[in-house]
């Protein structure tokens, strides 16, 4: 004997199947455990579809009104947590349709006129991804704003710039912060670009071939905030590029978060002591009372593994599918849901860390002068003031660095006589360029580290976000 839930599930399919599904088949086939997250989008799509069917004369206005009222009640149940989700009904679409039938009777069956679950799920999923794109845009704007605050406060604070994690040249704290503004602004533009490209409505493509009913796809597209209806019904139900693009942009963004996290982990260590992270984003040790572990940064650093894994997962699902819909595509949602959750959490945590972190200016300044970081300034001075070819200036500077290294002093601590023993034409004016402050102030080229350039770029980005 079949259960009531199985009878209900079979009735949704009509008369084609007489036997109840095997328990294993039910287990592998059901998606309600995760796709119930599409409930709000499913109801929005159904509302728009019902209104269009009424406008086109396919449904009567009383039927449209009954469907709309029933869907409103279902939305309220879902928001209140009282909606009776059923695994036997497989997915969110069938759950909502069955509940609508319980509320308004057979009229509920008219809602599925001129559509299929294929275009329905594609529409719901697009709406959900589009909502997440908007959420990410807001989150990235907040993170960029936190970096701008840091950049403006530290526009003239000197710190070491690194290549190969070795001291290279002095830069300003503000300049380093602005590098991340540029990085996350590119992320923001990628998400925005993906949103433009994906904003076509699949609704009305039906199963794969369109429909013979006189529907108005422009109307439903407009009602749901799409720019236009998708132009090919086969592609409309087959396309998951929008989800893959979201995951691609999310993977790049998570990579940037991971790089930033790595710097925060290094900078907050006792060996570097460049920054102090807020107590809100660090933890203690169960055995070592002196520890302040940058756990939030470390967890953000790890999120890229999950997010990038989600992208690979969906690409692998889609790579061998023929047109149009295949059940494989049910596997599209969980990776996207997980990636969206992970990225949203990481962006929130990172925004808090950046907003609250305190640079150790004294330590940064001291470290900026280590490793003969103004050697390039010395070489540039030799070129500019003595008209020396740069390769010759590079050789002279290298000799002077070796001398300072042997003496155990910084470049600016060499005497004029020491310098003239390597290059007799050097004058006392050379000492004006050997401090880390002079070095950063001199880098006034567009995009350079000079405080005035940092403030200009910060002002430009303030106006853009």
């Amino acid at each position: 004997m079949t259960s009531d839930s199985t009878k209900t599930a079979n009735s949704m399919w009509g008369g084609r199947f007489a036997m109840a599904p095997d328990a294993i088949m039910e287990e592998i086939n059901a998606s309600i455990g995760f796709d119930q997250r599409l409930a709000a989008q499913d109801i929005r799509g159904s509302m728009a579809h019902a209104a269009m069917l009424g406008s086109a004369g396919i449904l009567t206005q009383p039927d449209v009104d009954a469907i709309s009222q029933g869907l409103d009640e279902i939305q309220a149940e879902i928001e209140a947590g009282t909606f009776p989700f059923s695994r036997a009904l497989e997915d969110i679409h069938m759950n909502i349709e069955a509940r609508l039938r319980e509320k308004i009777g057979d009229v509920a069956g008219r809602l599925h006129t001129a559509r299929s679950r294929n275009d329905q799920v594609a529409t719901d999923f697009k709406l959900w991804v589009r909502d997440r794109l908007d959420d990410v845009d807001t989150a990235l704007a907040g993170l960029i704003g936190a970096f701008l605050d840091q950049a403006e406060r530290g526009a003239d604070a000197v710190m070491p710039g690194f290549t190969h994690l070795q001291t290279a040249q002095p830069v300003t704290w503000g300049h380093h912060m602005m590098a991340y503004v540029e990085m996350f602004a590119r992320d923001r533009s990628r998400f925005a670009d993906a949103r433009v490209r994906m904003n076509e409505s699949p609704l009305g493509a039906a199963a794969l071939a369109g429909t013979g009913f006189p529907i108005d796809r422009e109307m439903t597209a407009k009602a749901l905030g799409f720019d236009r209806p998708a132009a090919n019904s086969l592609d409309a139900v087959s396309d998951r590029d929008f989800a893959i693009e979201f995951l691609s942009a999310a993977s790049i963004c998570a990579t940037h978060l991971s790089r930033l996290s790595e710097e925060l982990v290094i900078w907050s260590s006792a060996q570097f002591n460049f920054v102090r992270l807020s107590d809100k984003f660090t933890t203690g040790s169960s055995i070592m009372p002196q520890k302040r572990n940058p756990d939030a940064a470390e967890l953000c650093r790890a999120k890229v593994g999950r997010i990038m894994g989600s992208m690979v997962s969906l690409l692998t699902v889609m790579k061998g599918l023929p047109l149009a819909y295949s059940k494989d595509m049910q596997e599209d949602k969980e990776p996207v849901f997980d990636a969206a959750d992970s990225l949203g959490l990481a962006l929130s945590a990172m925004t808090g860390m950046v907003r609250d972190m305190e640079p150790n200016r004294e330590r940064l300044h001291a470290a900026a002068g280590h490793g003969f970081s103004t050697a390039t300034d010395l070489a540039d001075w030799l070129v500019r003031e003595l008209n020396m070819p740069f390769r010759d200036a590079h050789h002279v500077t290298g000799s002077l660095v070796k001398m300072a290294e042997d003496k155990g002093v910084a470049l600016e601590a060499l005497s004029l006589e020491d310098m003239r023993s390597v290059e007799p034409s050097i004058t006392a004016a050379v000492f004006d360029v050997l401090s880390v402050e002079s070095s950063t102030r001199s880098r006034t080229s567009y995009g350079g580290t000079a405080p005035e350039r940092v403030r200009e770029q910060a002002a430009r980005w303030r106006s853009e976000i």
Side-chain angles (χ1 to χ4, degrees):
M1 179 178 292
T2 59
S3 66
D4 289 342
S5 62
T6 302
K7 289 178 181 177
T8 303
N10 286 343
S11 70
M12 299 302 293
W13 292 109
R16 174 66 179 84
F17 296 95
M19 297 180 65
D22 187 273
I24 295 175
M25 181 58 194
E26 181 176 309
E27 182 68 23
I28 197 172
N29 197 46
S31 60
I32 189 60
F34 54 84
D35 71 11
Q36 61 185 263
R37 296 179 66 162
L38 300 176
Q41 290 77 20
D42 193 73
I43 291 171
R44 282 164 60 192
S46 292
M47 288 281 203
H49 187 65
M52 181 276 295
L53 292 176
S55 177
I58 300 170
L59 294 186
T60 65
Q61 193 57 46
D63 284 350
V64 173
D65 292 342
I67 288 169
S68 297
Q69 181 178 341
L71 289 172
D72 280 336
E73 292 174 5
I74 290 170
Q75 179 72 54
E77 288 179 349
I78 291 171
E79 290 175 354
T82 60
F83 184 87
F85 290 107
S86 168
R87 281 182 59 81
L89 292 170
E90 295 184 15
D91 59 30
I92 188 60
H93 324 293
M94 302 300 281
N95 267 263
I96 289 176
E97 184 175 336
R99 183 63 172 156
L100 186 63
R101 184 179 289 271
E102 290 175 359
K103 286 181 172 294
I104 67 173
D106 291 343
V107 173
R110 300 186 186 279
L111 175 59
H112 211 55
T113 306
R115 77 173 181 182
S116 160
R117 276 205 300 182
N118 293 355
D119 62 334
Q120 185 180 1
V121 67
T123 302
D124 293 357
F125 197 22
K126 264 198 176 183
L127 289 171
W128 192 92
V129 171
R130 194 180 68 186
D131 289 344
R132 301 295 77 73
L133 287 168
D134 293 342
D135 293 342
V136 170
D137 182 75
T138 300
L140 281 169
L143 178 57
I144 290 169
F147 275 114
L148 290 174
D149 291 342
Q150 287 283 352
E152 289 167 342
R153 290 195 298 266
D156 56 358
V158 180
M159 67 173 288
F162 298 96
T163 62
H164 309 278
L165 205 57
Q166 306 294 312
T167 301
Q169 293 176 260
V171 296
T172 55
W173 175 261
H175 191 57
H176 202 110
M177 296 297 100
M178 290 303 298
Y180 281 109
V181 169
E182 296 287 337
M183 190 179 292
F184 288 110
R186 289 194 299 273
D187 288 323
R188 196 178 183 207
S189 71
R190 268 184 285 270
F191 285 111
D193 184 54
R195 192 189 193 284
V196 170
R197 190 162 26 258
M198 63 91 74
N199 207 33
E200 296 182 343
S201 173
L203 193 57
L208 75 163
T211 178
F213 288 95
I215 62 173
D216 185 349
R217 293 190 63 208
E218 294 282 352
M219 178 179 175
T220 50
K222 182 178 180 181
L224 294 172
F226 289 109
D227 295 328
R228 65 192 69 84
N232 183 282
S233 58
L234 268 171
D235 179 62
V237 299
S238 305
D239 171 39
R240 292 300 183 270
D241 289 1
F242 62 92
I244 294 169
E245 276 201 83
F246 171 76
L247 292 174
S248 176
S251 295
I252 297 172
C253 183
T255 299
H256 294 159
L257 288 169
S258 184
R259 295 183 70 182
L260 170 59
S261 297
E262 175 72 1
E263 293 211 309
L264 294 183
V265 170
I266 292 171
W267 289 355
S268 62
S269 68
Q271 290 74 19
F272 271 74
N273 194 24
F274 282 2
V275 299
R276 181 178 177 84
L277 298 178
S278 166
D279 289 346
K280 291 185 288 186
F281 298 100
T282 55
T283 65
S285 165
S286 62
I287 191 171
M288 295 168 284
Q290 82 280 9
K291 296 288 293 298
R292 296 182 79 254
N293 298 323
D295 283 7
E298 291 171 347
L299 290 166
C300 287
R301 184 173 58 185
K303 290 296 183 185
V304 67
R306 293 179 66 151
I307 294 169
M308 193 179 297
S310 294
M311 180 181 69
V312 173
S313 173
L314 185 52
L315 282 168
T316 305
V317 167
M318 297 302 298
K319 73 171 184 63
L321 297 187
L323 299 181
Y325 182 82
S326 298
K327 193 67 170 181
D328 311 51
M329 293 164 71
Q330 182 168 292
E331 296 295 319
D332 58 359
K333 295 166 197 67
E334 286 184 285
V336 176
F337 292 162
D338 185 76
D341 290 346
S342 295
L343 183 63
L345 182 58
L347 284 169
S348 295
M350 187 57 71
T351 300
M353 279 187 283
V354 171
R355 184 184 297 118
D356 294 351
M357 70 181 178
E358 299 176 6
N360 184 341
R361 291 197 176 208
E362 291 184 5
R363 173 62 183 151
L364 288 167
H365 186 279
H370 292 170
F372 309 104
S373 64
T374 58
T376 303
D377 298 273
L378 173 56
D380 288 347
W381 184 89
L382 293 170
V383 171
R384 187 170 57 249
E385 301 299 327
L386 303 185
N387 199 30
M388 188 180 292
F390 183 80
R391 286 302 174 197
D392 293 344
H394 188 282
H395 179 77
V396 169
T397 301
S399 298
L400 291 171
V401 167
K402 179 67 166 60
M403 178 185 293
E405 192 173 41
D406 291 342
K407 288 177 174 286
V409 299
L411 270 176
E412 60 267 33
L414 291 176
S415 67
L416 183 58
E417 289 72 21
D418 288 333
M419 292 193 178
R420 282 178 170 169
S421 70
V422 175
E423 174 50 57
S425 56
I426 292 177
T427 69
V430 72
F431 293 102
D432 293 338
V433 302
L434 294 182
S435 72
V436 290
E437 288 83 6
S438 295
S439 175
T440 56
R441 284 197 301 266
S442 71
R443 306 293 173 181
T444 56
S445 59
Y446 181 80
T449 192
E452 60 188 289
R453 295 286 88 86
V454 170
R455 293 187 178 99
E456 288 173 358
Q457 291 295 333
R460 176 177 70 86
W461 278 112
R462 283 285 187 201
S463 66
E464 292 197 15
I465 68 167

